[in-house]
Amino acid sequence: MRVAATGTSMDAPPRRLRADARRNYERILNAARSEVAAYGAQASLEEIARKAGVGSATLHRHFSSRHVLLEAVFSDRVRELCELPEETTVKADPAGALVEWLRAVASFVVTTRGLAESLLGGLQTHSATTDASCYQLVSAAGAGLLERAQRSDAIRPDVTIDDLMTIVNSLSLASSDGEADRRTVDRLLRIALEGIGPVSEPQ
Amino acid sequence: MRVAATGTSMDAPPRRLRADARRNYERILNAARSEVAAYGAQASLEEIARKAGVGSATLHRHFSSRHVLLEAVFSDRVRELCELPEETTVKADPAGALVEWLRAVASFVVTTRGLAESLLGGLQTHSATTDASCYQLVSAAGAGLLERAQRSDAIRPDVTIDDLMTIVNSLSLASSDGEADRRTVDRLLRIALEGIGPVSEPQ
């Protein structure tokens, strides 16, 4: 069995594309991202092409199957989460940077729900981020954020990145779907990160 | 169709029993409770009888079927959660009483996992406490606790009992099973209730 030597799913777009082809690729990916957020893995390819302003043939030239397109959306979002921790933000407010990142992970889990299952087939996975390799990529990015925040005493020392990922994952799977759901999850996550004690006065 | 006028599933034991029969009933219920906590709805009836120190015939005289026994275990635990909020504890430390109660709810969800599904059959329920009537009973008990804690400014005012029940439920479903799981859920719940900020000095 031959294994392709180039183009892991984390590198997108996988090939050098001419400027207009690249624009189309990005447009399709963006359209797919918002349709998948709204409708999950069953999002309409026709609607994605329409929103991207391209024909079905163009969509299929860039993404030969639903699976390839879903994988690109998923990888794109994972890469975003891995790149989100910016050194500058972290230095200014390490706890705030960690919280923002955890909220982005929650949004990722809510909006890609069903995508990991769809991509991974038989794997018994409860959510996007429970896929081992994806989980490792994302949590390694978060571990750095957490470590810096703990080093500056902004976050309690006994919390691990696995604790935080489990809390984010669990709350993200709390409700059903849609925009209201996204807001609910974000609200619950903020409560869980801040705790239920009396809100302290801003210093 | 005649509807029985007495003995809702919330009143246990359902009939007046002689002292020794009552003792057997309680023994079987306690044994069932610990076996169900360990093995879920598939717990062995033979093992329950053995642990209770009664014969299978006695078990079947008190609980005519697995369903009846599971229902009794479930109702018993729900009643416990509803009775747990004690006015005295609440007055002394309303926030502590709320936290203790939420931890008991989490333990209930973890240890009765699968029981609600088994009892409710077709209902699309993710956990014991998502059964509507059970949820209402338990959350009404918690709402009183929360209200008192918020009135004494021990708990932030923007948190609702539904927020707390959702957080407890979600975290309770985070991991798989067993005793380690119970401790993990309890640990995550405490983090979520306390928040991830620096641990404040005891006053």
Side-chain angles (χ1 to χ4, degrees), chain A residues 129-144:
Chain A
T129 56
T130 55
D131 165 39
S133 70
C134 162
Y135 182 91
Q136 277 166 17
L137 273 172
V138 174
S139 82

Side-chain angles (χ1 to χ4, degrees), chain A residues 60-108:
Chain A
H60 284 95
R61 202 158 48 242
H62 286 288
F63 303 96
S64 55
S65 69
R66 174 183 295 274
H67 190 280
V68 170
L69 178 56
L70 292 179
E71 201 169 62
V73 169
F74 193 73
S75 302
D76 191 51
R77 302 227 36 201
V78 170
R79 190 174 45 249
E80 203 176 81
L81 286 176
C82 293
E83 289 171 357
L84 199 67
E86 285 290 334
E87 193 69 31
T88 46
T89 327
V90 176
K91 275 186 185 151
D93 175 12
L98 176 67
V99 168
E100 280 315 298
W101 183 80
L102 291 168
R103 294 174 64 197
V105 176
S107 165
F108 164 75

Side-chain angles (χ1 to χ4, degrees), chain B residues 73-117:
Chain B
V73 169
F74 193 73
S75 302
D76 190 51
R77 301 227 37 199
V78 170
R79 188 174 50 248
E80 203 176 80
L81 287 176
C82 293
E83 288 170 358
L84 199 67
E86 285 290 334
E87 192 69 33
T88 45
T89 327
V90 176
K91 273 184 185 152
D93 176 11
L98 176 67
V99 169
E100 281 313 299
W101 183 81
L102 291 168
R103 292 174 66 197
V105 176
S107 166
F108 164 75
V109 177
V110 172
T111 56
T112 60
R113 180 182 297 162
L115 207 54
E117 284 89 335

